């Protein structure tokens, strides 16, 4: 039976980050990572289209937490201890500079996730962290002064155990034996499947300034909206899917959304269209794209209210203008299902947050048992926020482990 001071179960972002930080802060500790796969850091490797969206350029804890549908209240304190600026500094000290893109996402300047993967592998090797691949955890037992871990490849003993296994139902089931409550996992960060003539055959079209609401609910979001081959995506939809993860699962992903493509009121839009009729009576409505909408989308919305391509503004009676104002500001679409957003596999659900001490990320039920990352009932919108949660939790837990 191999013995360690600290064993981290899960060789992903939080696991490696924790191991390295424990070793840096207390070189006397013998540390191991147990990873069930044949290699680790897979999510790091594929994130951000293979570029690794390390974090997001939001530097106020009170603003940063607003990107977490679950975990907003709990992360406020931890973010005052370790957040975006600390993440940037940590990687810079390892020789990895990050860059900020227009939408606030941050990537390594190399534009390659392999830079981050190599950093973690090199640092763990440098600090003599043992990494055991193909070691799936089968059972966990606690004694007065140590833990016993039984894996598919052998048994281990450790004084402290840290769980960083992400959304792993088997590990959640195992932790229920240790009095931990698991919030039922449901998908978060997904796109909407919509079959509708107004958006058929125009994939790639983006409306930059939209507001989207779920009909018969308080769920809403705003931002760019992308029309895809199967429906709608981009931040306006992804934010809605994250904040509505539990509600939309209850509806079996069949619901209606109301889209305001121009983020203007119906009344203001109607007045503007009436002015257009007076100002450009001889112009064809289909060719008079307004509000900065993409031409293809404008034409589809115009066609949908019965204005054919030959009609001029002067031909449009008030009922036509009313219908067009509604089509622009309150278009109803039927959502028939969901699709995974690129390689993002984010789950709402996990260990009940009331059962964790967020000053140390230690279990409130069992001493010397720590958690970090998506194993907890914490998830975020897309943009580097899920990784920031992993770095913050792993760092704070590492500090507590190294100093105790």
């Amino acid at each position: 039976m191999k013995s360690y001071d600290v064993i981290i179960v899960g060789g992903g972002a939080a696991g490696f980050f924790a191991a390295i930080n424990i070793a840096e802060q207390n070189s006397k500790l013998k540390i191991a990572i147990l990873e069930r796969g044949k290699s680790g850091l897979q999510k790091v490797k594929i994130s951000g289209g293979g570029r690794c969206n390390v974090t997001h350029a939001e530097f106020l804890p009170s603003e940063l937490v607003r990107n977490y549908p679950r975990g907003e209240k709990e992360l406020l304190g931890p973010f005052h201890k370790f957040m975006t600026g600390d993440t940037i500094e940590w990687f810079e000290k390892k020789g990895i500079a990050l860059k900020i893109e227009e939408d606030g996402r941050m990537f390594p300047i190399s534009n390659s996730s392999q830079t981050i993967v190599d950093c973690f592998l090199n640092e763990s090797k440098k600090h003599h962290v043992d990494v055991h691949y193909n070691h799936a955890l089968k059972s966990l037992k606690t004694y007065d002064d140590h833990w016993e871990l039984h894996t598919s490849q052998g048994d281990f003993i450790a004084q402290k155990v840290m769980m960083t296994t992400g959304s792993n139902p088997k590990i959640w089931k195992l932790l229920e034996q240790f009095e931990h409550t698991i919030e039922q996992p449901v998908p978060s960060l997904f796109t909407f499947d919509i079959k509708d003539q107004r958006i058929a055959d125009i994939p790639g079209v983006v409306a930059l300034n939209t507001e989207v609401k779920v009909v018969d609910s308080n769920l809403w979001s705003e931002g760019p909206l992308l029309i895809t081959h199967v429906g709608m995506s981009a931040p306006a939809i992804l934010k809605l899917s994250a904040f509505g993860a539990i509600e939309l699962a209850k509806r079996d992903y069949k619901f209606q959304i109301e889209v305001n493509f121009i983020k203007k009121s119906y009344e203001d839009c109607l007045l503007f269209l009436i002015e257009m009729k007076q100002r450009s009576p001889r112009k064809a409505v289909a060719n008079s794209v307004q509000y900065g909408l993409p031409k293809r989308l404008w034409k589809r919305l115009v066609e949908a209210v019965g204005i054919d391509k030959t009609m001029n503004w002067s031909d449009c009676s008030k009922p036509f203008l009313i219908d067009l104002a509604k089509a622009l500001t309150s278009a109803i679409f039927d959502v028939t299902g969901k699709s995974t957003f690129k390689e993002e596999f984010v789950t709402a659900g996990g260990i009940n947050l009331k059962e964790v001490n967020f000053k140390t990320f230690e279990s409130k039920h069992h001493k010397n048992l720590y958690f970090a990352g998506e194993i907890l009932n914490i998830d975020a919108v897309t943009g580097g926020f899920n990784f920031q949660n992993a770095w913050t939790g792993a760092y704070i837990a590492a500090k507590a482990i190294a100093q105790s």
Side-chain angles (χ1 to χ4, degrees):
M1 204 177 262
K2 291 180 181 175
S3 178
Y4 290 92
D5 297 303
V6 185
I7 286 180
I8 295 163
V9 183
F16 270 89
F17 200 73
I20 294 160
N21 279 286
I22 294 166
E24 284 183 338
Q25 294 178 54
N26 189 338
S27 59
K28 294 175 184 174
L29 296 178
K30 194 179 177 190
I31 305 157
I33 295 172
L34 304 181
E35 165 56 38
R36 65 176 175 162
K38 61 182 179 182
S39 62
L41 300 164
Q42 288 307 299
K43 208 164 181 181
V44 172
K45 198 161 190 174
I46 65 172
S47 83
R51 296 195 298 146
C52 189
N53 185 183
V54 176
T55 186
H56 199 95
E58 175 53 72
F59 299 95
L60 296 173
S62 58
E63 290 297 315
L64 185 59
V65 293
R66 292 173 65 184
N67 295 285
Y68 296 83
R70 284 145 292 274
E72 177 177 356
K73 178 170 61 101
E74 290 80 7
L75 287 174
L76 186 59
F79 280 157
H80 276 93
K81 293 179 182 175
F82 190 95
M83 60 170 287
T84 314
D86 305 293
T87 300
I88 295 166
E89 185 183 0
W90 192 93
F91 281 104
E92 280 184 347
K93 282 180 179 174
K94 306 291 184 279
I96 298 172
L98 304 180
K99 60 175 179 175
I100 303 172
E101 301 207 336
E102 275 185 30
D103 58 4
R105 292 181 303 159
M106 298 192 71
F107 296 88
I109 282 177
S110 67
N111 264 333
S112 171
S113 59
Q114 196 61 44
T115 305
I116 307 298
V117 171
D118 290 344
C119 167
F120 286 161
L121 294 176
N122 292 337
E123 288 294 318
S124 57
K125 195 173 181 181
K126 172 182 159 186
H127 291 290
H128 309 294
V129 174
D130 290 346
V131 184
H132 300 282
Y133 296 110
N134 299 306
H135 278 63
L137 184 65
K138 297 299 184 185
S139 69
L140 185 65
K141 292 176 183 174
T142 181
Y143 297 91
D144 288 341
D145 62 345
H146 71 277
W147 293 84
E148 280 186 15
L149 300 89
H150 302 277
T151 80
S152 55
Q153 297 282 340
D155 302 333
F156 297 82
I157 288 177
Q159 269 63 57
K160 293 178 171 62
V161 170
M162 187 169 175
M163 308 295 286
T164 60
T165 47
S167 305
N168 185 327
K170 287 181 180 176
I171 299 298
W172 281 333
K173 190 98 181 145
L174 192 151
L175 288 169
E176 283 181 320
Q177 299 167 24
F178 292 86
E179 306 162 69
H180 277 293
T181 312
I182 305 302
E183 301 299 326
Q184 187 61 36
V186 295
S188 181
L189 280 191
F190 49 85
T191 63
F192 294 173
D193 294 348
I194 299 168
K195 289 182 177 68
D196 193 291
Q197 201 52 42
R198 289 168 290 179
I199 60 169
D201 306 318
I202 55 167
V205 165
V206 179
L208 289 171
N209 199 19
T210 73
E211 187 174 274
V212 186
K213 299 175 186 174
V214 174
V215 175
D216 298 327
S217 82
N218 295 320
L219 295 168
W220 70 278
S221 72
E222 57 190 11
L225 183 151
L226 168 70
I227 292 166
T228 71
H229 290 283
V230 293
M232 293 180 181
S233 183
I237 299 299
L238 296 169
K239 275 190 254 177
L240 201 55
S241 75
F243 281 90
I246 295 166
E247 172 65 27
L248 300 182
K250 286 177 186 172
R251 298 189 187 202
D252 195 26
Y253 308 105
K254 292 173 179 63
F255 53 94
Q256 288 186 316
I257 56 171
E258 181 183 299
V259 180
N260 185 331
F261 286 104
I262 59 176
K263 217 172 159 193
K264 303 279 184 190
S265 71
Y266 159 76
E267 292 79 11
D268 286 349
C269 180
L270 181 58
L271 281 173
F272 178 80
L273 296 178
I274 291 168
E275 284 174 18
M276 273 300 298
K277 178 176 177 173
Q278 294 165 348
R279 207 165 54 231
S280 307
R282 293 181 185 172
K283 262 191 169 182
V285 180
N287 294 330
S288 306
V289 183
Q290 302 300 316
Y291 295 108
L293 283 177
K295 192 174 184 180
R296 288 191 292 167
L297 178 59
W298 170 266
K299 283 189 170 183
R300 284 297 179 85
L301 296 176
V302 167
E303 284 170 16
V305 299
I307 300 172
D308 70 44
K309 58 185 177 185
T310 63
M311 282 178 71
N312 295 333
W313 284 99
S314 60
D315 301 325
C316 288
S317 62
K318 192 166 182 184
F320 273 126
L321 298 179
I322 287 171
D323 287 348
L324 183 54
K326 287 177 181 174
L328 290 165
T329 61
S330 55
I332 303 293
F333 291 88
D334 291 321
V335 178
T336 56
K338 62 172 178 59
S339 298
T340 302
F341 173 63
K342 295 184 180 176
E343 302 90 2
E344 299 276 0
F345 299 101
V346 176
T347 303
I351 296 165
N352 187 305
L353 303 185
K354 290 176 182 172
E355 300 169 1
V356 178
N357 176 358
F358 280 91
K359 290 181 179 175
T360 59
F361 282 74
E362 187 176 19
S363 164
K364 286 182 179 178
H365 295 326
H366 290 278
K367 194 169 168 52
N368 296 325
L369 177 62
Y370 298 80
F371 308 107
E374 285 182 49
I375 190 170
L376 298 165
N377 185 27
I378 294 175
D379 62 285
V381 299
T382 186
F385 302 104
N386 283 298
F387 273 141
Q388 187 55 57
N389 166 48
W391 314 140
T392 294
Y395 181 86
I396 292 172
K399 192 172 181 183
I401 290 168
Q403 292 177 353
S404 61

